[in-house]
Amino acid sequence: MSDRYQDLAHTPVGKFLVNNLGLPNPPRLERWTPGAPVVDGTVLVAAAEGSTLAPALDEALAALGVATTTAVADEERVKGIVVDATGIDTPAGLDQIQQALTPVLRSLSGCGRVVLLGTPPSEADTAGRAIAQRALEGISRSLGKELGKGSTAQTVYVAGGAERAIASTLAFLLSPKSAYVCGQVVRIGSAGIVEAPEVDLDAPLAGKVALVTGASRGLGLAMAQTLHRDGAAVIGLDVAPLADDLQRAMASIDGESIVLDITAPDAPQRIASYLAEHHGGVDVVVHNAGITRDKRLRNMKTENWHKVVEINVDAPARITAELLEAKLIRPGGSILGVSSIAGIAGNNGQTNYAASKAGVIGWVDELAPRVAADQITINAVAPGFIETDMVKTIPLTIREAGRRMNSMAQGGLPIDVAEAVAWFANPASAAVSGNVVRVCGQSLLGA
């Protein structure tokens, strides 16, 4: 759906009004295109005293083909800044973050990236280290709201032993693939998986099989297309009324179709049988299918409460349990859930939807350590305001508020959510599990 305000803000008259009236100024976000480098520019690398990630960081950036520097000359511009803060073990030591960033932030290009690397506070051996490492989140979240011009800031915690599994996360967060991800915290190795294989950067999912539910349109279609772009053979699933749309969508990416209601009692077994018979298993399972039935709780009908929870979280949990029980998700596989910022911050008139999407987060938290022994990951994306056909039905004032109340001052695109799913699904992200990452432009709602 076209964002007319954004178009207006980039005209001469619009720029004048935006600058003089203090109106939101949505930048043109850069998004990745096939064949483009991971980073179109240079990344400045800095480290706090006593930090330990330098060898792994240098190796990862070199493997990704990213040009790096340790100093910025006058008038020079950089596309990204990475600060290794793993050595900071006292609150006073946080001064090093300020001293590293303040002199160079004006050198950051538009749609630039800042990534702070730390160690999980849960692994801290002293109170000072726990304080300092947890403080990184406050720095990156605030910085994400300060940078403007489409630039982002994130914190990445690297668990002990997972140092050499950081490349895929750096590739995502430093590249235009993370255009609508800002102020997020990523944990690598937190579920106990600390190693990741090397993969083809251009086709990381070559030879893999991916199942995407709700794949006929919107977010699901974008996910299916993006996983196919990365080399996967895609199986799309949707309900009977959308069968024609689904078959056209899958035909466009040489995919396969399953027409099925995921809430049917035998749905888990039917899906498992199809995957076993046609592919001998599956590598990526994306539970995207979902619905809304909005009413305030005082007016909520039991059937609408039940249906939303059943489709959005209960059916994905049942299907996944069946696939795991049948050993159909192969080692190195990925399970992806779709949560929402509504599941984090709540939303007026969406108690059922928020319950289901918060439930997805609980499901990820519970399942991540259980599947780690089989080298399987589970993560979730939590979209904010994304420009899909659904937003056309939202009243204008609410739609505009949803678009502007984030650090990017605009809605995201389906590809933004799909890129996050593809990052999680990448075999090189094998140490990234148990995460819930918001794709919301750093919405003012939630954390």
Side-chain angles (χ1 to χ4, degrees):
M1 186 175 180
S2 175
D3 185 342
R4 295 181 179 178
Y5 175 86
Q6 184 182 36
D7 294 337
L8 173 64
H10 287 270
T11 66
V13 172
K15 290 179 181 177
F16 176 83
L17 294 174
V18 164
N19 292 334
N20 286 274
L21 298 179
L23 298 173
N25 187 12
R28 299 291 190 192
L29 299 183
E30 296 175 0
R31 291 183 169 88
W32 189 81
T33 56
V38 173
V39 178
D40 187 11
T42 301
V43 172
L44 174 69
V45 178
E49 184 178 350
S51 294
T52 59
L53 286 177
L57 179 58
D58 291 346
E59 180 182 319
L61 293 175
L64 296 171
V66 176
T68 62
T69 184
T70 56
V72 181
D74 292 342
E75 307 302 321
E76 187 179 1
R77 308 289 284 179
V78 294
K79 199 63 176 177
I81 303 170
V82 178
V83 180
D84 179 2
T86 56
I88 301 178
D89 58 5
T90 65
L94 292 166
D95 290 356
Q96 296 179 76
I97 301 291
Q98 181 271 319
Q99 292 163 6
L101 291 176
T102 299
V104 297
L105 284 176
R106 288 185 176 86
S107 301
L108 190 66
S109 299
C111 295
R113 303 286 185 260
V114 177
V115 177
L116 305 182
L117 300 174
T119 58
S122 59
E123 293 186 4
D125 53 0
T126 66
R129 183 178 294 279
I131 293 168
Q133 294 299 312
R134 183 62 175 79
L136 298 180
E137 298 178 34
I139 296 171
S140 62
R141 285 186 170 133
S142 296
L143 186 56
K145 296 179 179 180
E146 293 180 8
L147 290 172
K149 298 182 179 179
S151 294
T152 66
Q154 332 283 350
T155 292
V156 177
Y157 289 127
V158 184
E163 295 83 0
R164 300 196 178 277
I166 62 176
S168 70
T169 298
L170 289 174
F172 176 67
L173 295 179
L174 290 174
S175 79
K177 291 182 177 181
S178 59
Y180 205 59
V181 175
C182 186
Q184 296 306 289
V185 177
V186 178
R187 293 170 175 82
I188 302 177
S190 60
I193 306 173
V194 297
E195 296 182 359
E198 294 184 6
V199 300
D200 182 344
L201 291 176
D202 295 323
L205 292 173
K208 305 297 184 182
V209 176
L211 170 70
V212 181
T213 69
S216 65
R217 57 189 180 181
L219 296 183
L221 175 57
M223 293 170 188
Q225 292 170 334
T226 304
L227 294 173
H228 170 71
R229 177 203 71 189
D230 285 356
V234 178
I235 304 161
L237 183 153
D238 222 319
V239 292
L242 296 174
D244 290 344
D245 290 343
L246 176 66
Q247 289 166 3
R248 280 192 295 269
M250 292 304 102
S252 71
I253 58 173
D254 297 322
E256 302 170 27
S257 301
I258 300 176
V259 178
L260 179 67
D261 180 350
I262 61 172
T263 66
D266 63 345
Q269 291 74 28
R270 289 172 64 186
I271 293 170
S273 295
Y274 182 95
L275 293 173
E277 178 181 350
H278 292 273
H279 297 281
V282 67
D283 301 285
V284 180
V285 180
V286 185
H287 293 288
N288 166 72
I291 64 167
T292 58
R293 294 290 185 270
D294 296 349
K295 286 287 183 180
R296 290 186 175 180
L297 189 57
R298 64 191 179 202
N299 300 319
M300 182 71 64
K301 294 182 178 179
T302 297
E303 57 265 33
N304 287 341
W305 178 283
H306 177 76
K307 197 67 175 176
V308 168
V309 173
E310 184 181 29
I311 291 175
N312 293 359
V313 67
D314 186 46
R318 291 192 303 111
I319 291 166
T320 300
E322 177 68 24
L323 297 179
L324 291 171
E325 177 68 23
K327 303 291 185 183
L328 288 171
I329 302 178
R330 290 186 269 260
S334 300
I335 305 163
L336 284 306
V338 177
S339 181
S340 166
I341 61 170
I344 297 170
N347 206 8
N348 186 356
Q350 286 195 315
T351 51
N352 53 353
Y353 184 74
S356 69
K357 295 304 186 178
V360 170
I361 297 173
W363 175 53
V364 169
D365 289 343
E366 191 278 332
L367 193 55
R370 289 204 290 117
V371 298
D374 293 322
Q375 299 294 299
I376 295 171
T377 63
I378 178 169
N379 297 281
V381 291
F385 188 98
I386 305 297
E387 301 280 359
T388 64
D389 288 342
M390 288 179 62
V391 307
K392 296 177 182 178
T393 64
I394 300 175
L396 176 63
T397 54
I398 298 175
R399 185 166 68 233
E400 282 303 301
R403 282 177 171 148
R404 309 307 161 205
M405 291 177 62
N406 60 74
S407 295
M408 303 299 159
Q410 62 194 280
L413 301 180
I415 186 61
D416 298 323
V417 183
E419 292 287 18
V421 166
W423 157 52
F424 281 137
N426 188 333
S429 299
V432 182
S433 190
N435 286 264
V436 179
V437 168
R438 296 193 308 159
V439 185
C440 63
Q442 199 179 19
S443 172
L444 300 183
L445 302 176

